[in-house]
Amino acid sequence: MESSATIAMKASSSSSSVFSISQTQISNPKSLLFNFLKTPRTNKKSLFKSLKCIQSPPPGSTPSKPISFSCSAVTVSPSQTAHLPPRKLSSLLSEFQSLLEPLDRVKRLLHYASILPTLPASSRTDSNRVMGCTARVWLEVQMDSEGKMRFWADSDSEITKGFCACLVSVLDGAAPEEVLGLKTEDLAALNVGLPGGARSRVNTWHNVLVSMQKRTRALVSQKEGKAPFEPFPSLVITAAGVQPKGSYAEAQARYLFPDELKVKELVNVLKEKKIGVVAHFYMDPEVQGILTAAQKDWPHIHISDSLVMADTALKMAKAGCKFITVLGVDFMSENVRAILDQAGFGEVGVYRMSNERIGCSLADAAATPDYMNYLKAASNSLPSLHVIYINTSLETKAYAHELVPTITCTSSNVVQTILQAFTQIPDLNIWYGPDSYMGANIKELFEQMTLMSDEEIAELYPEHNRDSIKSLLPRLHYYEAGTCIVHHLFGHEVVEKINEMYCDAFLTAHLEVPGEMFSLAMEAKRRGMGVVGSTQNILDFIKQRVQEALDRNVDDHLQFVLGTESGMVTAIVAAVRSLLDSSKSTSTAKINVEIVFPVSSDSMTKTSTSSSPVLESVKMGDVILPVLPGVASGEGCSLHGGCASCPYMKMNSLTALLKICRQLPDERNILEAYEAERFKLQTPQGKNIADVGCEPILHMRHFQAKKELPEKLVYQVLGPHGNGKSVSIS
């Protein structure tokens, strides 16, 4: 690139361009904004008549041709350009606000699109694509000899191309720190009055800016001689198959296509003895691979999150299954046992996969005197409602419900549950637990809502506004000593690396992740590039984005950072491959879907070993995907981040499943230690633990069906005289 090749050109009078401004005008941006808004439209031509732009050729073009513009005025010295991008942004805002009709703003964007030169074919490559835009956008970024950033962009949509022209005008020629200093929220005021598709157009501003900043950071690091971050391991899914990058990804991929003999062996014993299987998304990849393949021949196999496991087990019992095997942690098998008993299927056997305890750090955090003391304090603040995460034991739910009226929640419905509770019960205090990260994230989410308009809040939850959200915040409490050991792994190092290398990718995060990861994913969510929620929410988000790419029917590479347990990848791969296969007859596009596993540097090997030879780089279209060294061993987890793999879930092996299935029916009580616990003890108030522990779950089921708290729970919160005392449970 020859950045010195510049041509001064007066802005077109028809464009009323604000792509460069005189030194007098930038000396007082507030005055400029005021004067511009007051200037009659007929006089705006003269305001910009003397403004000049630098023109630079895009990469691969002939330098002598004046075919591109940049954001620097030729008469302004480097010392005078400090903070120039914000001033240019203010001028751009002034211009669009001065156009009172939406159609005029669209015409202005189309004009800017017409003067933004077309990138040569050599730059319109997959590696230059900007992810997350409805239209295809290509971005070329270089640093010139003076250390200034140079940008070229193009799109197959004229409106999007106009957006790109505006961003290039603001940032081309700026110092790296000026590029990195611009925030996506700084662009919010530019989203004025464009009809239709407003959300996708907002995303265009944001996603192009994020890509500009990512590539700027990379060039700065390169100039400073810093070693680049090692990419995370990943799986690339295409219609032709699955390509792993890194040893951990290889281990994941190995089980996606299981041994047919093992699958047949499992199916035969399940059919013969009428055994249903419910498994959690976080299961070992070998087991998930075989279960997924076996589903084709035996319908009573289901992989899902913890709540749906119990629902599906009940359906299996109704369909005639005599036994249910549960692949998960102990509270999951307890829930299945209790739900079947409540529904009158006490004769159906429920078996877990180990004769030892299969724990859960979250469930353990709630089964402590400290958590009960937290609830005792809550019982003194009336009226109070305890919202407990479903990932807790039935015993904990029972004891909690007798201290404070309790409703269970999942990561996908906790926000709606809390907002509805505050709507139905004035002056309510809510006590959430036991996940401290989720509690902090929920509170942060509500604090962010206080910055939204009443109209925006009403779109999410019609019964609330800014004032109601502000009033509930002091009455929302959460337990501060409970964490999931898996989601705890998404610490500062992993977040830093994601921000550096994957900020332009689709980010997924479970609500249980630490605040840093939560904030990162929430920012991505605001520009249509992320999801924060449950495992099912994450899976649905990925499927939706892949389907959208297939509907566009253009070649694309979608990259997703998996911000939850890596066992999710089996379900993701199965869902994505199903979408790709079903589209073969209607779509000619080549869609590559990359699932990235966050792993800390402590977990990565730096050199290959004889057992893990170096593999050649893989080419997907014109994107080079180097195969990584991968994790050092096992799951590759560390305190600062890791592959996010749950050691408790890995206690559920294929060997154990086959052993239990072969022994059924257990006429000699050989499997007694494997049976899901049926609680025989009583609560402090002398009631059956299973009965009391199931009631918070039933309250949640009512909420899911009716979108409101059941009358019985409201009565328990307020008491017979509205005094907040819990009443006896019938």
Side-chain angles (χ1 to χ4, degrees):
M1 181 187 101
E2 295 184 29
S3 61
S4 60
T6 59
I7 300 177
M9 181 183 81
K10 289 189 176 181
S12 165
S13 59
S14 63
S15 73
S16 299
S17 174
V18 293
F19 288 165
S20 58
I21 53 181
S22 71
Q23 192 61 34
T24 301
Q25 290 164 331
I26 67 173
S27 61
N28 189 338
K30 289 185 179 179
S31 174
L32 169 68
L33 180 60
F34 176 80
N35 290 332
F36 191 90
L37 291 172
K38 292 296 184 181
T39 304
R41 193 177 305 184
T42 55
N43 294 335
K44 286 189 172 68
K45 186 184 298 183
S46 61
L47 177 63
F48 292 101
K49 206 169 188 179
S50 62
L51 306 187
K52 298 183 178 182
C53 297
I54 294 177
Q55 292 192 322
S56 303
S61 64
T62 306
S64 60
K65 294 180 67 178
I67 53 177
S68 180
F69 56 85
S70 83
C71 67
S72 300
V74 295
T75 58
V76 180
S77 68
S79 63
Q80 294 170 321
T81 61
H83 310 297
L84 198 54
R87 293 175 177 179
K88 291 177 183 176
L89 189 60
S90 294
S91 298
L92 195 63
L93 172 61
S94 302
E95 178 177 8
F96 276 93
Q97 286 184 330
S98 72
L99 301 173
L100 303 181
E101 297 298 327
L103 184 59
D104 290 336
R105 298 185 184 113
V106 173
K107 287 180 178 178
R108 183 58 51 85
L109 278 175
L110 292 175
H111 171 75
Y112 290 147
S114 71
I115 62 176
L116 185 69
T118 300
L119 278 175
S122 59
S123 295
R124 294 166 66 95
T125 62
D126 290 347
S127 57
N128 280 340
R129 283 280 298 277
V130 176
M131 278 190 285
C133 298
T134 302
R136 285 189 293 176
V137 181
W138 297 270
L139 176 67
E140 185 86 15
V141 183
Q142 295 181 15
M143 181 184 290
D144 66 19
S145 58
E146 297 178 354
K148 303 296 184 183
M149 302 309 303
R150 313 309 303 234
F151 300 98
W152 298 265
D154 203 354
S155 175
D156 58 5
S157 159
E158 291 302 302
I159 289 286
T160 300
K161 190 171 181 178
F163 285 143
C164 292
C166 293
L167 280 173
V168 169
S169 75
V170 170
L171 291 175
D172 186 53
E177 61 270 19
E178 292 175 326
V179 175
L180 299 176
L182 194 63
K183 296 180 174 60
T184 54
E185 52 262 36
D186 295 335
L187 305 176
L190 289 172
N191 308 318
V192 284
L194 294 177
R199 184 70 252 169
S200 65
R201 287 169 174 162
V202 171
N203 294 344
T204 297
W205 290 110
H206 293 180
N207 294 333
V208 175
L209 173 61
V210 168
S211 288
M212 287 175 160
Q213 292 174 330
K214 173 187 174 179
R215 300 182 201 188
T216 296
R217 279 193 293 267
L219 288 170
V220 169
S221 295
Q222 181 180 332
K223 181 182 179 182
E224 295 175 349
K226 294 180 180 178
F229 277 120
E230 287 282 353
F232 290 136
S234 65
L235 285 177
V236 180
I237 312 162
T238 69
V242 178
Q243 173 64 54
K245 299 191 299 174
S247 62
Y248 181 73
E250 289 172 29
Q252 296 287 319
R254 192 175 301 128
Y255 300 115
L256 294 173
F257 307 97
D259 186 322
E260 291 183 6
L261 292 177
K262 289 185 177 180
V263 174
K264 187 176 181 180
E265 179 185 5
L266 177 62
V267 169
N268 287 341
V269 70
L270 295 178
K271 283 184 174 180
E272 177 191 348
K273 301 185 178 183
K274 296 184 179 180
I275 301 171
V277 181
V278 291
H280 195 271
F281 278 132
Y282 294 171
M283 200 48 49
D284 182 86
E286 179 184 16
V287 179
Q288 279 208 56
I290 289 177
L291 290 178
T292 301
Q295 283 175 317
K296 299 173 184 176
D297 298 310
W298 181 241
H300 304 303
I301 297 174
H302 191 79
I303 304 171
S304 65
D305 60 20
S306 56
L307 176 67
V308 180
M309 287 170 67
D311 294 338
T312 308
L314 180 57
K315 292 177 182 177
M316 292 176 182
K318 290 179 178 178
C321 287
K322 297 182 180 298
F323 309 98
I324 303 295
T325 51
V326 181
L327 282 74
V329 298
D330 283 347
F331 76 78
M332 297 174 185
S333 58
E334 290 172 11
N335 285 347
V336 170
R337 176 72 277 163
I339 291 297
L340 291 180
D341 288 347
Q342 289 279 320
F345 289 94
E347 77 284 358
V348 174
V350 178
Y351 292 87
R352 55 199 195 91
M353 295 299 106
S354 176
N355 57 3
E356 299 178 2
R357 179 177 173 275
I358 308 177
C360 168
S361 60
L362 270 183
D364 293 347
T368 61
D370 188 58
Y371 195 77
M372 290 301 123
N373 290 335
Y374 164 73
L375 292 181
K376 287 176 182 176
S379 67
N380 295 323
S381 300
L382 304 178
S384 280
L385 172 68
H386 175 218
V387 179
I388 190 170
Y389 198 20
I390 192 72
N391 292 7
T392 48
S393 73
L394 209 62
E395 191 173 23
T396 296
K397 295 181 181 76
Y399 290 164
H401 194 35
E402 287 197 337
L403 281 171
V404 182
T406 298
I407 183 172
T408 59
C409 70
T410 69
S411 49
S412 59
N413 66 24
V414 59
V415 172
Q416 295 89 337
T417 301
I418 290 173
L419 288 175
Q420 179 61 25
F422 278 122
T423 299
Q424 284 184 244
I425 307 176
D427 302 322
L428 180 67
N429 287 281
I430 285 185
W431 306 79
Y432 169 80
D435 192 310
S436 57
Y437 286 141
M438 189 184 291
N441 292 340
I442 293 167
K443 196 146 192 173
E444 171 64 21
L445 178 63
F446 289 159
E447 287 172 353
Q448 290 184 20
M449 287 178 68
T450 64
L451 304 177
M452 298 165 61
S453 67
D454 286 347
E455 292 75 17
E456 290 171 326
I457 294 173
E459 287 182 14
L460 300 174
Y461 212 88
E463 301 299 323
H464 282 279
N465 54 40
R466 289 177 66 180
D467 289 339
S468 68
I469 299 297
K470 287 178 181 177
S471 69
L472 67 81
L473 276 169
R475 292 178 282 117
L476 174 61
H477 316 274
Y478 64 91
Y479 186 63
E480 298 185 12
T483 59
C484 167
I485 59 174
V486 172
H487 294 106
H488 179 66
L489 296 172
F490 292 92
H492 70 273
E493 184 193 343
V494 165
V495 169
E496 180 185 358
K497 194 168 177 179
I498 292 173
N499 210 18
E500 183 82 13
M501 295 187 63
Y502 300 98
C503 59
D504 59 343
F506 294 100
L507 301 184
T508 72
H510 199 279
L511 258 178
E512 295 175 24
V513 298
E516 292 171 291
M517 184 69 180
F518 172 80
S519 297
L520 203 64
M522 282 297 295
E523 191 279 329
K525 184 177 185 293
R526 284 191 289 271
R527 53 189 173 88
M529 292 293 291
V531 62
V532 178
S534 67
T535 48
Q536 188 63 51
N537 295 148
I538 290 172
L539 180 60
D540 291 343
F541 175 81
I542 293 173
K543 289 165 59 178
Q544 180 182 355
R545 293 297 176 267
V546 173
Q547 186 61 59
E548 289 170 355
L550 290 169
D551 292 342
R552 288 194 293 270
N553 199 23
V554 295
D555 293 355
D556 210 346
H557 179 83
L558 309 180
Q559 189 179 58
F560 297 89
V561 176
L562 186 60
T564 188
E565 220 274 0
S566 57
M568 270 290 293
V569 74
T570 309
I572 292 170
V573 171
V576 170
R577 293 212 69 196
S578 176
L579 289 173
L580 296 179
D581 289 342
S582 64
S583 69
K584 285 180 179 178
S585 60
T586 58
S587 175
T588 58
K590 295 180 180 179
I591 306 296
N592 303 323
V593 179
E594 184 177 11
I595 308 299
V596 178
F597 304 99
V599 180
S600 77
S601 61
D602 293 345
S603 308
M604 304 291 290
T605 58
K606 302 304 180 185
T607 58
S608 63
T609 65
S610 58
S611 62
S612 180
V614 176
L615 301 177
E616 295 180 0
S617 296
V618 179
K619 188 173 184 180
M620 296 289 180
D622 57 6
V623 180
I624 303 298
L625 303 174
V627 177
L628 309 184
V631 295
S633 62
E635 306 301 347
C637 299
S638 81
L639 292 177
H640 296 297
C643 60
S645 184
C646 178
Y648 295 117
M649 287 291 187
K650 301 307 179 276
M651 294 173 69
N652 296 269
S653 67
L654 178 63
T655 301
L657 177 59
L658 287 171
K659 172 187 173 182
I660 289 168
C661 290
R662 292 190 188 110
Q663 294 285 350
L664 293 175
D666 186 25
E667 296 173 350
R668 294 183 294 169
N669 291 329
I670 296 174
L671 300 178
E672 185 176 4
Y674 293 84
E675 286 190 71
E677 185 172 1
R678 181 180 270 122
F679 290 100
K680 299 173 183 175
L681 299 177
Q682 293 184 329
T683 68
Q685 292 185 12
K687 297 184 178 295
N688 182 277
I689 283 179
D691 291 340
V692 181
C694 275
E695 188 166 32
I697 301 175
L698 297 176
H699 287 332
M700 181 182 70
R701 293 187 189 284
H702 178 98
F703 171 74
Q704 289 178 304
K706 305 292 186 180
K707 306 305 178 187
E708 63 180 17
L709 303 187
E711 290 183 9
K712 183 175 183 179
L713 177 59
V714 174
Y715 183 72
Q716 289 169 350
V717 171
L718 296 177
H721 305 293
N723 61 5
K725 294 289 186 182
S726 177
V727 298
S728 62
I729 299 165
S730 59

